[in-house]
Amino acid sequence: MQSREVGFPSFCDARADWLAVVQLPAYACELNATEGVWAHVKRDLGNLLAEIIDERAVSAKRLLKRIQYRPELIDGFRAQTGLALEPQPS
């Protein structure tokens, strides 16, 4: 385990009965469902001709609100990551 904090390993060891530390890879956009949401919104925003930034902001909020009411889209973005929602038994 690497850490910049000297006391971190001892902190973790003292709580080993309930704390599991997992080394995660560097940022991987394919594991982040939010990236799918933004790709979807940016695709629709790219088709708009907005004169000012405020119009773009209103359009982005409208697109995000539309996604909020389409749970199948949210499930799809999460499914694209390949990650399980529930922890898997070890």
Side-chain angles (χ1 to χ4, degrees), residues 38-76:
W38 282 118
H40 183 78
V41 170
K42 286 190 291 186
R43 186 190 66 220
D44 287 348
L45 279 178
N47 294 328
L48 296 174
L49 180 61
E51 296 283 328
I52 55 176
I53 194 71
D54 290 338
E55 292 175 7
R56 288 270 179 162
V58 169
S59 296
K61 287 179 184 178
R62 186 180 78 265
L63 290 166
L64 289 169
K65 191 65 141 176
R66 191 168 50 187
I67 291 170
Q68 181 181 358
Y69 291 104
R70 295 185 60 196
E72 70 278 1
L73 266 179
I74 296 169
D75 290 341

Side-chain angles (χ1 to χ4, degrees):
M1 170 187 338
Q2 286 184 318
S3 174
R4 294 181 188 165
E5 295 294 325
V6 176
F8 189 69
S10 59
F11 174 86
C12 294
D13 291 342
R15 292 154 181 83
D17 57 325
W18 62 269
L19 178 65
V21 178
V22 179
Q23 180 71 37
L24 297 175
Y27 181 76
C29 61
E30 66 272 7
L31 299 178
N32 187 346
T34 307
E35 294 292 342
V37 172
W38 282 118
H40 183 78
V41 170
K42 286 190 291 186
R43 186 190 66 220
D44 287 348
L45 279 178
N47 294 328
L48 296 174
L49 180 61
E51 296 283 328
I52 55 176
I53 194 71
D54 290 338
E55 292 175 7
R56 288 270 179 162
V58 169
S59 296
K61 287 179 184 178
R62 186 180 78 265
L63 290 166
L64 289 169
K65 191 65 141 176
R66 191 168 50 187
I67 291 170
Q68 181 181 358
Y69 291 104
R70 295 185 60 196
E72 70 278 1
L73 266 179
I74 296 169
D75 290 341
F77 297 137
R78 187 193 48 79
Q80 283 179 333
T81 67
L83 299 173
L85 197 53
E86 298 295 324
Q88 302 299 312
S90 45

